[in-house]
Amino acid sequence: MKRAFPVMAVLFCCMIFCMTGCGSSEKSDSGAKEEKTVKKQEQQNEKEEEKESEKESEKESEILQFVDVYGQQYSVEINQNIAKKQYNDTLFIHDGDRLTYADEKYTSRLGIDVSYHQGEIDWKKVKAAGYDFAFIRIGYRGYAEAGTVNADIRFDEYIQQAQNAGLDVGVYFFSQAVNEEEAREEAKFVLDHLSGYNLQLPVVFDPESILDDDARTDHVSGEQFTKNTEAFCSAIEAAGYDAMIYSNMLWEAYELDLEKLSAYPVWYADYELKPQTPYHFEVWQYTNQGSVDGINGRTDINIQLIEKPSK
């Protein structure tokens, strides 16, 4: 009996070792499987992140191809931080000089913009022809070095007759300001000349390039144009009027920083069949060669996009 005890002890230890050894192996296999699963999940997450990064990179580097009024082609990177237009370009329907747009969210109406160059206007005929609004030039700054500020000689005549005929009216000022001080001077001029009038549409800041002559603004930077625009518009709004910016694709691409001017709606000019801008606008000047009953000669025609009331 004394000799049997060591043998039994050895057998018992072997049994314990086998049992614990098998358990460790099972735990090791289970841990390896879990580790593989985690690695696969991490790899999958990395791939998804790479795809999202690629998509964001594609968005960031989205390029717009457009042409100017002379057919000159341009390429520019689209700024993803600027609000995009919500219109479906295929729903802009041309019928001669007329243009319509309608979808579930927006409807439209037509209008004109005029200065003394249009001469005498029969505003009742304009209204009867289906034009419901007008932007009238209130004044302008000369583009020569002196840069004098002047009233449009037909402004008072036009605004009174247009409103009497039932058209909604806004005004625009043709700017050649070279700094904020001059832009504020232009805004004050507008406010002074609006005394006694009510507007249904905004006051528009209209900075433009002079293409066929030397101009005092030829060397003004896009950064400065943006500051001028903000100075004019903020002064107009401080006086209780709505401000708006007149622009085209060249100005949106290379001059105005629309990201800094996002507080103001855009009146967009583009004479292509569809608006080339990717950015939001409220009014589109779609032709400068329109024929309108009541006006002699060619004139600008615009379409205003109006958001329908929510149901």
Side-chain angles (χ1 to χ4, degrees):
M1 292 295 293
K2 288 180 181 180
R3 293 179 181 177
F5 177 77
V7 175
M8 293 295 293
V10 169
L11 289 174
F12 180 74
C13 288
C14 287
M15 289 175 66
I16 294 298
F17 174 80
C18 289
M19 289 172 68
T20 57
C22 289
S24 297
S25 176
E26 286 174 2
K27 288 180 181 178
S28 177
D29 289 346
S30 176
K33 287 178 182 178
E34 288 179 3
E35 186 175 349
K36 286 181 181 179
T37 301
V38 170
K39 284 184 177 179
K40 284 182 180 180
Q41 186 61 48
E42 289 176 349
Q43 290 173 351
Q44 183 65 30
N45 290 341
E46 286 176 3
K47 287 181 180 179
E48 289 178 1
E49 288 175 3
E50 286 176 5
K51 287 180 180 179
E52 288 299 319
S53 178
E54 287 174 3
K55 287 180 181 179
E56 288 299 320
S57 179
E58 287 175 5
K59 285 182 181 179
E60 290 173 3
S61 61
E62 190 176 359
I63 302 300
L64 173 70
Q65 308 285 341
F66 70 95
V67 297
D68 64 16
V69 291
Y70 301 108
Q72 177 68 41
Q73 295 185 342
Y74 300 86
S75 297
V76 65
E77 185 174 332
I78 296 173
N79 187 335
Q80 300 300 328
N81 296 322
I82 301 173
K84 305 301 181 294
K85 64 185 177 188
Q86 300 176 24
Y87 317 124
N88 181 343
D89 287 351
T90 64
L91 298 180
F92 285 105
I93 308 299
H94 291 264
D95 182 12
D97 285 339
R98 296 178 179 276
L99 180 66
T100 58
Y101 183 92
D103 62 19
E104 293 182 355
K105 189 174 182 180
Y106 292 94
T107 184
S108 63
R109 63 176 182 167
L110 296 182
I112 59 174
D113 62 273
V114 295
S115 68
Y116 83 95
H117 296 288
Q118 270 66 48
E120 187 174 346
I121 296 175
D122 187 331
W123 288 95
K124 290 182 179 179
K125 284 186 177 181
V126 172
K127 176 65 175 177
Y131 297 91
D132 295 317
F133 68 91
F135 283 105
I136 300 171
R137 188 175 72 167
I138 192 169
Y140 63 97
R141 184 187 290 275
Y143 62 82
E145 191 60 34
T148 56
V149 175
N150 309 276
D152 189 295
I153 59 175
R154 286 191 177 267
F155 171 69
D156 292 298
E157 169 194 338
Y158 282 172
I159 189 171
Q160 292 170 20
Q161 293 182 3
Q163 290 184 331
N164 287 339
L167 282 81
D168 289 342
V169 171
V171 302
Y172 70 94
F173 185 90
F174 182 89
S175 173
Q176 287 289 291
V178 298
N179 54 43
E180 294 109 306
E181 182 181 356
E182 288 192 349
R184 283 188 283 268
E185 178 191 7
E186 293 172 352
K188 183 179 184 306
F189 175 91
V190 170
L191 295 172
D192 289 343
H193 283 72
L194 280 176
S195 178
Y197 292 116
N198 294 316
L199 297 181
Q200 296 74 47
L201 295 173
V203 174
V204 183
F205 186 64
D206 176 19
E208 295 191 37
S209 301
I210 306 301
L211 303 178
D212 56 357
D213 202 352
D214 293 333
R216 67 199 309 272
T217 55
D218 284 347
H219 303 295
V220 175
S221 68
E223 180 181 6
Q224 187 61 57
F225 277 129
T226 300
K227 290 179 179 179
N228 296 350
T229 304
E230 172 60 36
F232 179 96
C233 290
S234 60
I236 293 298
E237 297 218 327
Y241 294 92
D242 294 326
M244 179 178 265
I245 303 164
Y246 179 84
S247 185
N248 61 28
M249 196 58 243
L250 279 173
W251 276 73
E252 292 188 351
Y254 302 116
E255 301 292 358
L256 297 178
D257 185 343
L258 293 184
E259 192 173 347
K260 292 181 178 178
L261 299 170
S262 60
Y264 310 111
V266 171
W267 173 11
Y268 175 71
D270 190 341
Y271 306 145
E272 296 298 304
L273 289 177
K274 307 296 181 185
Q276 298 177 94
T277 181
Y279 308 125
H280 188 68
F281 57 88
E282 291 190 4
V283 180
W284 174 22
Q285 184 188 81
Y286 63 88
T287 182
N288 63 349
Q289 294 293 312
S291 178
V292 175
D293 193 23
I295 300 177
N296 293 320
R298 299 295 178 180
T299 193
D300 300 338
I301 305 180
N302 305 269
I303 186 169
Q304 181 185 20
L305 289 305
I306 303 168
E307 192 167 356
K308 296 176 182 177
S310 56
K311 296 180 180 179

